[in-house]
Amino acid sequence: RLRSALAELLARRRGVVADPERIVVVSGVAQATALLASVLHARGTRTAGVEDPGSPQHCALYASAGVGTVPLPLDGEGLALGPLHASGVRVVVTTPAHQFPTGIAYSARRRAELLAWARSVDGLVLEDDYDGDFRYDRAPVGALQGLDPERVAYTGSVSKSLAPGLRLGWLLVPDWLADDVVERKRTTDLGHPALDQALFARFVEHGDYDRQLRVCQRAYRERRDALVAALAEHFPGARVTGIAAGLHAIATLPERCGPEERFLARVGDAGVAVRSLSAYGHGGAAGDEVAGAPRTPEQVRLVLGYAHLAPGRIRAGVARMAAAV
C-alpha cells in the first residue's frame, strides 16, 4: 500500500518513473545508501565517486560496505565532467536538485552529460533528493531519475518534511538491481515496521502529506528570509548564495571577519554552532570553483542551516556571531 502511494506521489511531485515493485521502503537515506553500497560491492564495485565538497556521510556509508570513495570536483553546472571521466569510477553519488553544500542546481546540460557518462561506462548514479521538495525563488527541478530510470537509483525520506526520528524513507532502484536490493534489505532487518508504513500510506493517500509539505515550504521560506535579513544587518557586504531552494545557505563574510579559524573559535566560544564550507571538502579549496574564486586567508565561508530554528532564534544567533567578531 505504501509503495503504491509513494509511486503516485513521487511521479506527481518529482517526475520520477515509479514502479511500486521497484520501491524499497527503508529507514531513511542512510540505510538506502548503505544497502545500495553493499549490493554494488557484492557485484564487484570497489570505488564510487562523491561530490567534493559534499556530504561526509556518503563516504562513511560506502566505506562501511567496503567501497572506497573518490572525491570529484564541481563547477558551476554540477559535477565537472573531465575529472569524472578520468576517475575510472562507474558509480557516483549526487545531490542534483540542490547540491549539498554549495546550493547549485545541476544544469539541464550537465544532467544530460552525466547520464551519457553513466551509459558509456555501464554505470549508475545515486540521486540523493534530500530537499527536492523545497524551492522558493525558482521553477521546480524534476528528479534526474525520470530521465533514465535504468541508470539512476533515487532516494529520499521524510526527515526534512516530518521528522528525522521517524526513520522512514524510500529507495527506487533500476530493474536490474531490484531483486538484489530487496534481498539485502530482507537479510538486514526483515523489513520496515508495518504500522509505520500503513500510517504514512494513509497520510499520503488522503492529501495530508501534500499539505504538510506546503506548511514546511512556508515555514522554511520565512526562516530563510530571516537569515538573509539578519546577515545583511549584522554583516554588511556579506554574499549569500544557494538560497533559491533547500534548507541551507552559503554565506561569504567580509574579509574583516577573518581569518576563518579565529572566527570559528570566537563564534564557538559565544555559543553559536557553525561550520565552514571547507569542512565539507576533501581539500583546502573546497567549493572554490563553484564560488568563483579561491578563498583568501582572511575570507570566511559558512554553511548555515536554518530549517531547524525559529526566525527569532536565527536573528539572535546571527547577532551573537557579529558580537563575537
Side-chain angles (χ1 to χ4, degrees), residues 208-226:
D208 297 301
Y209 190 61
D210 284 289
R211 284 187 284 274
Q212 172 68 11
L213 288 171
R214 290 193 292 271
V215 168
C216 290
Q217 179 93 352
R218 290 192 295 270
Y220 293 157
R221 181 196 292 269
E222 181 185 12
R223 294 171 185 189
R224 181 207 63 171
D225 292 347

Side-chain angles (χ1 to χ4, degrees), residues 114-182:
L114 180 59
L115 293 174
W117 162 83
R119 289 188 287 269
S120 71
V121 300
D122 191 23
L124 180 73
V125 178
L126 173 60
E127 179 178 14
D128 180 354
D129 199 27
Y130 78 102
D131 63 359
D133 276 307
F134 303 115
R135 297 174 195 81
Y136 316 114
D137 303 322
R138 69 181 186 209
V141 178
L144 185 68
Q145 189 269 359
L147 302 177
D148 195 337
E150 289 304 306
R151 292 296 169 191
V152 181
Y154 174 91
T155 183
S157 77
V158 302
S159 291
K160 307 297 189 297
S161 55
L162 292 173
L166 290 175
R167 308 312 309 145
L168 183 59
W170 44 86
L171 172 61
L172 179 56
V173 294
D175 186 63
W176 54 276
L177 277 176
D179 289 344
D180 289 357
V181 171
V182 169

Side-chain angles (χ1 to χ4, degrees), residues 252-285:
T252 302
L253 303 185
E255 291 200 357
R256 62 178 175 79
C257 298
E260 189 171 87
E261 293 75 14
R262 185 183 66 183
F263 175 89
L264 293 173
R266 289 184 173 181
V267 168
D269 290 341
V272 182
V274 294
R275 295 189 72 178
S276 66
L277 176 60
S278 59
Y280 293 92
H282 298 273

